[in-house]
Every structure is written in structure tokens, then in C-alpha cells.
Amino acid sequence: MAKPNDLSVGDMAARAGVPVSTLHYYEAEGLIESWRTPANHRRYDRRELRRVAIIRVAQSVGVPLSEIRQVLNRVPREKAVSKDAWAKAAAPWKDMLDERVALLERLRDQMGYCIGCGCLSLETCPLYNVDDALGQNGAGPRRWIGSRTERA
Ligand code: FES
């Protein structure tokens, strides 16, 4: 149902800080919804702004759209969503985000230590991989990602 505070696509884009094309993409991906005026112009409920904000923040830390969609699909659209409902919908992200935080901390601490050094010291360098022992865990940067497989 149309509400007087619904946003045009231009207003929505300006308010959300994304190009109109991004809104169209999010909509085509089923992440946000709009409705059409009799003149076939898109209108967005203001609640869609929160969804766009969540999408943008999640994308900025590398959460795939498929996982963002899973969370957003758990949030009801037909009413104002409570803080508890958002927390419940996002709860499955906790472990994944904790893992990403730990990875970023390792990257910051270990990589930062070695930038500009280049010694690859056998005793102290956290990057040194004696006899490629970490290759036993698979390809890629195993010191940081461990033995888990990468997400698609
Ligand atoms: S390159 Fe020197 S400590 Fe890693």
C-alpha cells in the first residue's frame, strides 16, 4: 500500500548512497522490493533503506550476496521489524563474522609485522613456511585461512 513517505528511485538512491543501477540490481536479486505507481514509476518503502544499508555494510566486509539474502529473507516485510527480529535473523552470521574478524586481526598483526622487513627469518618470521609444510593443508594462504575451504 502506498504511503506518502515512500521514496522515488532517485530519492532512494540519494538517501542510500548508491547508484540507481545498484538499486535495480538489488531488486533483481530479490534483496529489496519496490512497488509501481500508475505511471509505472518505482516507489520504495523507507524500510528498504535499512536493507540497503545492511547489504552495503555486509558487502564491504566480504559477505556474499547469497548469505545476505538468507538473512534478509528471514526478516518480515509486512510490518516494522523489531530489534530482536533483526538480531534473530542475523544470528547465523555471528560465527562467520567472528571468523572474519580473527582473519583480519591475523592479517593485520602478522602481515604488518613483515611489511618492509623481508627477512623471512627461520626463528621469528610468521610468514616463513619451512619445506612448504603448510601446503599439506591445501592451496592458498594457509597460515591465515587454516584448513577450511574458501567460500564461493
Ligand atoms: S619478513 Fe621479517 S619477520 Fe617476516
Side-chain angles (χ1 to χ4, degrees), residues 61-100:
V61 294
V63 180
L65 279 182
S66 59
E67 293 183 27
I68 297 170
R69 183 181 299 103
Q70 287 175 9
V71 166
L72 293 179
N73 284 346
R74 287 192 288 266
V75 177
R77 287 186 172 279
E78 61 278 359
K79 59 181 181 171
V81 181
S82 69
K83 180 179 172 185
D84 287 346
W86 277 110
K88 187 176 176 185
W93 276 2
K94 185 179 182 324
D95 289 345
M96 178 265 294
L97 291 174
D98 286 347
E99 188 177 305
R100 283 172 193 260

